[in-house]
Amino acid sequence: MKLEFGYLKWLTGGIAGLMALTAASNWLVNPFSIFDSPAIHGFNANKPGYVDHLRLTHVYRVNRLQPECILLGTSRTGRGLSPNHPSLADLNCYNLALPAISLYEMRRYLQHAQAVRPQKLVILSVDFRTFNTGPDTSGAFSETRLRVNSEGERQFNVFSSRLPDMASSLVSTSALLASLTTIRKQAWVKDTLAADGYWAPLTDRYDHLAAFGAYTLNSTRRFAEMRNNDEVFHSNTDELRQLLRDAYGNGADVRLLIPPSHAWHWQTLWLSGLWPGFEEMKRQLLSINEAEARRAGRKAFPLWDFSGAYGPALEQLPTTQTGTMHWFWEPVHYKRALGDKLLDKMMHAATEHDAPDMAGFGVLLKGQELESHLGRLRAMQRTYAASHPDDVARIKASMDQAGKHEHH
């Protein structure tokens, strides 16, 4: 009996020791970026696969950092807008961007951030994909993880979410495998998650030519899914209304923007037959923003439109695989160089005279001028198509390829 008891004692102690070692290792490596562990160059500073964990990461980062300013949007915001911009430097700003985020999730993460600490400034980037994306169905998004429920009421989530999250991040097999991957791939990754939430590039080396082709295929398939998407579009319109109603009600300073993409991407959207839907999104954005401002008795939040085939969106593609681009990574995502220009304009820090390649880029939308603005963008798109026949031919070829894959 004593022998059996001793065996169980050693077994229990061994298991407990192994779990403690696993927990300590996972805390130190911090693969999901939720602990306040040190970032050690060459060991754990770079986080491969960080995008997959952001719906977990952001919640606990916001809890710990308590930012006074947040940037909220899709991956375009993550890659393009840096909280380290001079206009934001004194605001303890955090980039809360999420891949393929819906307006419902935007509203919920903004509620969470506001419950942790009311923000002095919110920069909200809304694009066509946001309006056509339903709530996350992968299981990565957790309602109970957030500080408040959808009605804005505090929710007790220690046992339902916080403890399970901590346990899975410290002693689970998936966390251990993620830690091993983090250590092993330190020198392999091309970007990582900065402490302020920015999706920081680690190299400027990029095959833009291949990326333009790949993203055209991806966008074409996504646009095909959006064609019969009226229910999701209207649902997101309702979510936008509630998000802005909350923001006007709690006194937040919000800057809205429609982000830029390369003219190549806008041509893909045009050829997909969704340009009228894109224009309707802008009408809804402006109308709802102005209506909620009147309802709250406040001045409307500024709404900037940086879309369209002009200015930096006309940047020439490199002719070789090793050529670089200044403003864009591929047709969809803009670089920080352009993101800084956007923030300059939105935060009124721009110089009086824009540089030639930024002349007039970005329009502050107003109700009485919207239709003429939309007409100008249509004309610019037609001009781009006429002046870039080779690019348009390549776009059409990629779209045809995507269509053939769909039928197979």
Side-chain angles (χ1 to χ4, degrees):
M1 188 70 178
K2 286 183 179 181
L3 186 63
E4 292 175 357
F5 179 76
Y7 172 76
L8 288 174
K9 182 179 177 181
W10 279 105
L11 180 62
T12 303
I15 292 173
L18 185 60
M19 289 180 67
L21 179 62
T22 300
S25 299
N26 286 332
W27 179 88
L28 181 60
V29 178
N30 195 19
F32 305 144
S33 301
I34 66 172
F35 303 117
D36 195 19
S37 50
I40 304 169
H41 180 71
F43 174 67
N44 71 337
N46 299 333
K47 307 293 184 184
Y50 67 89
V51 173
D52 297 334
H53 311 303
L54 283 175
R55 284 173 168 80
L56 167 71
T57 301
H58 281 332
V59 171
Y60 293 101
R61 282 272 189 93
V62 167
N63 287 347
R64 188 171 75 253
L65 298 175
Q66 300 186 14
E68 298 176 79
C69 152
I70 60 169
L71 308 171
L72 189 56
T74 63
S75 55
R76 297 186 195 185
T77 299
R79 297 188 189 283
L81 298 182
S82 170
N84 200 32
H85 185 274
S87 297
L88 309 176
D90 298 329
L91 288 174
N92 181 26
C93 203
Y94 185 76
N95 192 321
L96 223 170
L98 287 163
I101 189 174
S102 67
L103 271 156
Y104 177 73
E105 279 189 273
M106 273 192 179
R107 181 170 73 84
R108 295 292 285 120
Y109 276 93
L110 181 56
Q111 282 182 311
H112 174 76
Q114 289 277 325
V116 171
R117 180 177 189 172
Q119 279 76 52
K120 295 178 181 177
L121 175 68
V122 176
I123 294 178
L124 188 68
S125 176
V126 183
D127 57 44
F128 193 51
R129 183 178 184 184
T130 314
F131 260 82
N132 286 279
T133 299
D136 176 74
T137 57
S138 68
F141 170 58
S142 168
E143 293 276 5
T144 59
R145 185 176 288 147
L146 305 179
R147 187 69 64 93
V148 294
N149 63 22
S150 61
E151 303 301 318
E153 301 164 340
R154 293 268 177 173
Q155 55 184 5
F156 183 75
N157 58 11
V158 172
F159 298 109
S160 62
S161 194
R162 291 181 67 184
L163 286 178
D165 282 344
M166 293 301 106
S168 64
S169 299
L170 288 171
V171 296
S172 70
T173 302
S174 60
L176 183 60
L177 291 173
S179 289
L180 293 172
T181 300
T182 298
I183 296 169
R184 186 166 57 92
K185 292 188 176 181
Q186 280 302 291
W188 300 2
V189 294
K190 294 182 178 180
D191 59 3
T192 190
L193 187 67
D196 58 13
Y198 176 56
W199 302 15
L202 297 173
T203 176
D204 199 40
R205 287 186 318 221
Y206 198 77
D207 188 345
H208 298 285
L209 290 177
F212 265 73
Y215 269 84
T216 305
L217 289 171
N218 184 275
S219 294
T220 300
R221 291 166 186 152
R222 189 172 294 131
F223 291 154
E225 296 169 0
M226 293 180 184
R227 286 201 185 93
N228 300 304
N229 220 17
D230 288 348
E231 186 176 338
V232 174
F233 186 92
H234 291 306
S235 175
N236 277 313
T237 300
D238 293 338
E239 289 299 336
L240 174 72
R241 182 176 289 106
Q242 188 60 55
L243 185 159
L244 292 178
R245 184 169 297 180
D246 291 345
Y248 279 112
N250 63 29
D253 175 11
V254 177
R255 314 290 170 95
L256 295 159
L257 77 138
I258 300 164
S261 282
H262 195 276
W264 179 295
H265 177 71
W266 301 129
Q267 188 65 23
T268 307
L269 180 70
W270 182 284
L271 292 171
S272 295
L274 292 176
W275 195 266
F278 187 40
E279 292 187 345
E280 181 60 23
M281 181 205 83
K282 295 179 183 182
R283 294 188 185 99
Q284 292 293 332
L285 259 173
L286 187 60
S287 173
I288 292 170
N289 183 42
E290 293 182 343
E292 291 305 320
R294 288 192 298 270
R295 187 178 188 275
R298 292 184 58 187
K299 183 179 179 181
F301 297 140
L303 169 57
W304 289 91
D305 185 6
F306 292 99
S307 67
Y310 70 108
L314 295 174
E315 181 177 13
Q316 187 172 350
L317 273 66
T319 56
T320 64
Q321 289 182 325
T322 56
T324 60
M325 296 184 71
H326 183 62
W327 301 123
F328 292 94
W329 292 107
E330 15 70 9
V332 177
H333 296 96
Y334 57 96
K335 293 185 176 184
R336 178 180 173 175
L338 185 53
D340 282 350
K341 297 290 186 181
L342 268 57
L343 290 170
D344 282 344
K345 203 136 197 177
M346 288 189 292
M347 300 301 294
H348 309 292
T351 55
E352 186 176 352
H353 300 289
D354 289 333
D357 53 1
M358 293 296 296
F361 186 63
V363 174
L364 186 61
L365 297 186
K366 297 176 182 177
Q368 66 273 22
E369 301 168 5
L370 178 62
E371 293 306 319
S372 60
H373 168 67
L374 296 179
R376 285 193 297 273
L377 291 185
R378 285 194 293 272
M380 288 174 181
Q381 204 61 49
R382 294 189 186 100
T383 299
Y384 169 78
S387 60
H388 294 75
D390 292 343
D391 287 354
V392 173
R394 290 165 64 190
I395 293 168
K396 288 180 177 178
S398 291
M399 293 178 72
D400 288 344
Q401 184 182 349
K404 290 175 182 176
H405 284 189
E406 287 293 317
H407 290 103
H408 284 76

